[in-house]
Amino acid sequence: LGAGVEVGGLIMLVKGADEAVCPLLAGGQEVLQSVTQQHIDGFASFGLRTLLVACRQVDPLLLAAWEAGPLAEANATIAGREARVALAYEELEKGLMLLGGTAIEDGLQAAVPASMRVLREAGIRVWMVTGDKQSTASQVAVASGILPPSHSLVTFSNPAHIDQNITQLAHLV
């Protein structure tokens, strides 16, 4: 797979949005990361769904200790189990080697644009809530007929500014 990955060893593969995977990458991959990000952004601008793929060699003894320690403790927790399990995985999912990016076309179902038109004609407001990259979401919104080609978007991407987002949202309703 690449430098530092032993053939026949235990390899952890990770896939996810670039915003989630990039912070988990080991240093020294800045050029590869920059080029891959340019490709991912380009694919997203065409409305393609994008992911990054990364990996890490995992020592079997380290994995066994992690499973018996942090992961077992997190799974035994009653209150806040989901958050504790996520923190346990964060201990393992770091120092990753970037393998590349993927992009797939996730086409709309045939009736979506017509359905959006009928809803608009009926005076029903349609809101699109998505976890996609903004450029992908924008392309999908135009293709589905939710937004016209010349559109403006309101985005809420920072949970730390929730009060500001709610105020902005209230002005739209």
Side-chain angles (χ1 to χ4, degrees):
L1 289 173
V5 177
E6 177 184 314
V7 175
L10 185 59
I11 299 170
M12 174 181 59
L13 293 169
V14 175
K15 58 96 178 155
D18 51 331
E19 295 89 355
V21 173
C22 284
L24 307 176
L25 298 175
Q29 304 178 78
E30 291 77 14
V31 173
L32 175 60
Q33 187 176 344
S34 175
V35 170
T36 303
Q37 189 66 55
Q38 289 173 15
H39 290 223
I40 289 292
D41 291 343
F43 295 144
S45 72
F46 290 110
L48 300 176
R49 303 286 171 119
T50 61
L51 293 174
L52 290 184
V53 181
C55 72
R56 174 182 161 203
Q57 183 95 33
V58 179
D59 179 279
L61 295 176
L62 172 73
L63 181 62
W66 174 79
E67 288 175 331
L71 185 61
E73 290 170 16
N75 281 322
T77 303
I78 294 176
R81 177 180 298 142
E82 191 173 311
R84 295 270 317 265
V85 168
L87 286 172
Y89 275 97
E90 284 180 17
E91 290 181 29
L92 197 62
E93 295 175 340
K94 58 186 175 185
L96 302 176
M97 181 178 63
L98 179 61
L99 296 176
T102 67
I104 62 165
E105 183 176 7
D106 188 8
L108 294 174
Q109 294 183 7
V112 170
S115 298
M116 293 301 107
R117 186 180 64 253
V118 168
L119 292 171
R120 270 196 324 278
E121 289 170 357
I124 298 171
R125 286 188 177 178
V126 176
W127 294 52
M128 181 173 160
V129 179
T130 179
D132 286 328
K133 289 180 70 64
Q134 184 174 337
S135 54
T136 299
S138 179
Q139 292 293 326
V140 169
V142 170
S144 66
I146 293 173
L147 292 175
S150 59
H151 63 276
S152 61
L153 290 176
V154 175
T155 60
F156 305 105
S157 58
N158 188 342
H161 299 119
I162 191 70
D163 292 335
Q164 180 183 358
N165 293 344
I166 290 171
T167 302
Q168 187 179 8
L169 185 61
H171 292 350
L172 295 174
V173 184

